[in-house]
Amino acid sequence: MNPVNLGKGEENMHTDGNGRDWEAIRTDFPLLAREVNGKPLIYFDNANTAQKPIPVIAAVDGFYRRHNANVARAMHALGAEATDLYEDARERLAMFFNVRAEDLVLCSGTTFAINLVAYSWALPRLRPGDTILVSRMEHHANIVPWQLIAERTGARIAVAEILPDGRLDLDALRKAMTPDVKLLAVAHVSNVLGTVNPVRDICREARRHGIVTVVDGSQAAPHRKVDIAAIGCDFYAVTGHKMCGPTGTGALWARKEHWRSMPPFIGGGEMIREVRFEGTVFNDPPYRFEAGTPNIAGFAGLGAAVDYLDSVGLDRIAARESELLAHATEELNRIEGLRILGSAPGKAAVISFLIDGAHAHDLATLLDLEGIAIRSGRHCAHPLLQYLGVAAACRASLAFYNTHEEIERFVAAIQKARRLLG
Ligand code: PLP
């Protein structure tokens, strides 16, 4: 599907160094044109969820207008169309991540995906004395499932610590890869610090030690090219709504040998081949792990989202976002009393920050009055904020459709809020 309004080659339009028309790309996102509190919206909460371009909205709308039926079960034309759309999304996601479609389980998002690994891979395997290594910078979705499994199995949780600039301490991580460690859970990109972890090197090292790796790709997939095959992990989880797709969509990739050895996590329709009261024969992966009616319209939208991201170009998106990040960081660093959490080289466009004497929620509320959406709080990463000694922080997270002018308005609004907060 072709995205609308890419406006390539048109005259008299602002273009960036890549020759792409970012202003026109921005008009693909209708919500960005609205006002909030009487001011033009500035949406800087992209790490929370991304906005949706017209092709995604059209795909969801088109599904309900023209194709709505259930997948797999129906022997009629609409059922076949719905099934095709759903399977097509799997194929497109697989191409996007450079993996095989049959190794990709579609699910509701990263939270479900990591729980699937926890209950289906880890629960039957882990024993007392085993260790689950989790990085300090994980989102709760990559901490709490492991705690639940540790409680049930007698395994323990160990923490891979970070350095002052927000990088993972790779020397410490290497030393922590002792024989008792069975699983390593690590984010590709931190949702608080913006740190981009060298997951390829980490997974290679873990593999040498026989440690299974679970990479949380929630914050990576929408912002840079992710080649799961090249990373060499065991499991990779993504969530569709952060990739400009609908909420309630996502995927878990695993190596074929893991899928083959994993029992089902949730039972019901779609995941079986034959059911008798004496026992059930399960379907093959990936269907074995997709019980019940999926979010078919959502996956039609997610298929359109990956096409859209591809058409804009992941390398261009990454370059655009790092340019916006550099601008925002420079401007914010000029504000007295403002401290940014995380300055790892090559970090993603996620800026968590604090201002002396201003509570994060107060600041976010004042910015909202200016039409600016940021997140404030603990960002589903309590252990990280505890470690940093921070009760709550603001977070501005940028996307390719944001602009330099928005950054300037944002900085001016912070200055104004700071004066008001005294
Ligand atoms: N992991 C990271 C790093 C995240 O940023 C998020 C969402 O904020 C999640 C996991 C959870 O994603 P979802 O709620 O879509 O399952």
Side-chain angles (χ1 to χ4, degrees), residues 72-327:
R73 313 167 180 167
M75 293 305 291
H76 51 70
L78 290 185
E81 286 168 24
T83 306
D84 282 351
L85 275 168
Y86 182 67
E87 289 306 324
D88 189 47
R90 193 193 309 275
E91 294 284 341
R92 287 145 94 185
L93 276 171
M95 274 182 357
F96 189 75
F97 291 117
N98 190 29
V99 292
R100 297 173 346 142
E102 57 261 48
D103 297 333
L104 208 52
V105 164
L106 303 185
C107 62
S108 63
T110 298
T111 302
F112 186 96
I114 294 176
N115 276 276
L116 170 53
V117 187
Y119 285 91
S120 190
W121 187 89
L123 184 59
R125 282 173 178 78
L126 298 190
R127 301 277 172 269
D130 289 342
T131 296
I132 303 169
L133 192 52
V134 179
S135 103
R136 169 65 67 182
M137 67 179 83
E138 295 313 300
H139 184 281
H140 296 160
N142 210 12
I143 299 175
V144 181
W146 307 121
Q147 288 177 324
L148 294 171
I149 295 304
E151 258 170 42
R152 294 225 202 158
T153 59
R156 70 176 194 109
I157 305 274
V159 181
E161 291 296 358
I162 58 171
L163 297 168
D165 67 357
R167 273 177 301 151
L168 257 185
D169 185 340
L170 295 176
D171 289 337
L173 177 62
R174 229 168 275 125
K175 286 191 192 119
M177 291 186 184
T178 46
D180 52 305
V181 177
K182 297 292 179 287
L183 184 144
L184 168 66
V186 65
H188 194 163
V189 176
S190 160
N191 66 312
V192 178
L193 305 166
T195 308
V196 181
N197 287 315
V199 283
R200 196 175 173 157
D201 296 344
I202 292 170
C203 292
R204 192 186 308 120
E205 186 71 12
R207 213 166 166 70
R208 278 198 330 109
H209 289 83
I211 299 168
V212 162
T213 44
V214 182
V215 180
D216 175 351
S218 307
Q219 296 293 346
H223 304 293
R224 56 197 56 240
K225 178 79 195 133
V226 174
D227 182 335
I228 297 177
I231 291 169
C233 52
D234 288 280
F235 297 95
Y236 196 98
V238 294
T239 201
H241 68 98
K242 297 189 202 284
M243 301 169 54
C244 300
T247 52
T249 61
L252 176 68
W253 173 86
R255 288 176 184 271
K256 188 168 97 189
E257 62 265 29
H258 293 316
W259 285 137
R260 292 271 158 210
S261 71
M262 283 162 59
F265 168 38
I266 306 263
E270 312 287 357
M271 48 80 77
I272 49 82
R273 186 164 291 148
E274 173 82 37
V275 179
R276 294 176 192 276
F277 279 113
E278 299 75 41
T280 289
V281 180
F282 300 116
N283 207 338
D284 289 332
Y287 310 106
R288 185 188 298 171
F289 302 99
E290 296 179 4
T293 301
N295 182 359
I296 312 164
F299 280 101
L302 185 55
V306 297
D307 282 358
Y308 181 82
L309 292 173
D310 262 342
S311 70
V312 177
L314 269 297
D315 289 343
R316 285 173 172 155
I317 287 174
R320 164 76 172 174
E321 290 180 357
S322 73
E323 184 195 292
L324 292 170
L325 171 69
H327 181 190

Side-chain angles (χ1 to χ4, degrees), residues 393-407:
C394 289
R395 181 185 71 187
S397 49
L398 312 177
F400 57 94
Y401 45 68
N402 290 129
T403 67
H404 291 282
E405 193 245 321
E406 286 182 317
I407 290 169

